[in-house]
Amino acid sequence: MSETRSYPRRVNTEAGEIEFDLMRRADEAAVLAFAKALPTHDLLFLPRNISQPKVLSAWINEIEAGDIVSLLARKGGAVVGCGTLVKDSRSWSPHVGEIRMVVSLDVRGQRVGRALSQETFALALSSGLEKLSVQMTVDQRAAIALFESLGFKAEALLRDHVRDAAGQKHDIVVLGHNVAQVRAQLEAYGLPGAVMPS
């Protein structure tokens, strides 16, 4: 899925230089340490609790099988963020991809999340998908605003859809982005490459 994007790739943020690279099995320990340091509520960005070693191992198996692509954001060698693109070619929606993203607390508000979301979005666009979706709890306002700035729009509210480790239920908002429509509009104006963030 990443033929037109090359990694590692470096960007400057307010937190300093961040390196993006594709996640591999060798990253398992670093990703586990990153996940265990996240507030429990942040893990609700993801459908599974990646702070559990078995779940993380299954995730890496899915990467190796080609079902998902995950980008790691590193600062000084430490993982500070992860953006994932999930695509299921065997489902009824092979044209739809889901973006999942989480960033560590110590780099929030320093444009690391924005850079990671843009890079994950560009990766999704290069895969030829027609539609993208992202899900998060309704109180994650900064993340919602970030994805809305990329052209995502609210499509659904799922009440009591996830339950955290303490058993509390949370509503989930689903945002969607019709990439094919945007691409077609840009091509009509003679700007086919404009949809790709740099």
Side-chain angles (χ1 to χ4, degrees), residues 132 134 147-148 150-156 173-178:
L132 299 172
V134 64
F147 279 97
E148 286 178 337
L150 290 172
F152 284 78
K153 295 183 178 7
E155 292 190 352
V173 62
V174 179
L175 291 90
H177 191 298
N178 189 331

Side-chain angles (χ1 to χ4, degrees), residues 115-178:
L116 180 59
S117 65
Q118 288 174 333
E119 187 62 34
T120 306
F121 186 61
L123 184 66
L125 294 176
S126 70
S127 72
L129 291 165
E130 296 175 27
K131 183 174 181 180
L132 299 172
S133 69
V134 64
Q135 298 182 28
M136 60 205 70
T137 57
V138 295
D139 61 324
Q140 292 166 324
R141 291 187 179 94
I144 292 169
L146 178 61
F147 279 97
E148 286 178 337
S149 75
L150 290 172
F152 284 78
K153 295 183 178 7
E155 292 190 352
L157 176 68
L158 307 174
R159 299 223 178 263
D160 297 329
H161 198 70
V162 294
R163 187 177 2 220
D164 63 25
Q168 185 176 355
K169 294 176 185 169
H170 300 271
D171 297 345
I172 291 287
V173 62
V174 179
L175 291 90
H177 191 298
N178 189 331

Side-chain angles (χ1 to χ4, degrees), residues 1 6 25 28 35 37-38 47 50-51 57 73-74 98 111 123 126 142 145 158 170 180 182-183 185 187 190 194 198:
M1 281 200 278
S6 61
R25 187 163 298 277
E28 192 165 355
L38 288 169
I50 63 165
S51 68
S57 182
R74 288 190 182 89
E98 181 184 353
R111 304 191 69 80
L123 184 66
S126 70
L158 307 174
H170 300 271
V182 171
R183 191 178 286 125
Q185 288 170 339
E187 287 173 359
S198 59

Side-chain angles (χ1 to χ4, degrees), residues 47-84:
R48 299 180 193 144
N49 185 354
I50 63 165
S51 68
Q52 302 298 317
K54 283 184 180 178
V55 173
L56 183 56
S57 182
W59 175 14
I60 291 172
N61 289 341
E62 289 180 83
I63 290 171
E64 291 177 344
D67 295 328
I68 64 177
V69 176
S70 290
L71 284 175
L72 296 181
R74 288 190 182 89
K75 180 184 175 190
V79 175
V80 295
C82 181
T84 297

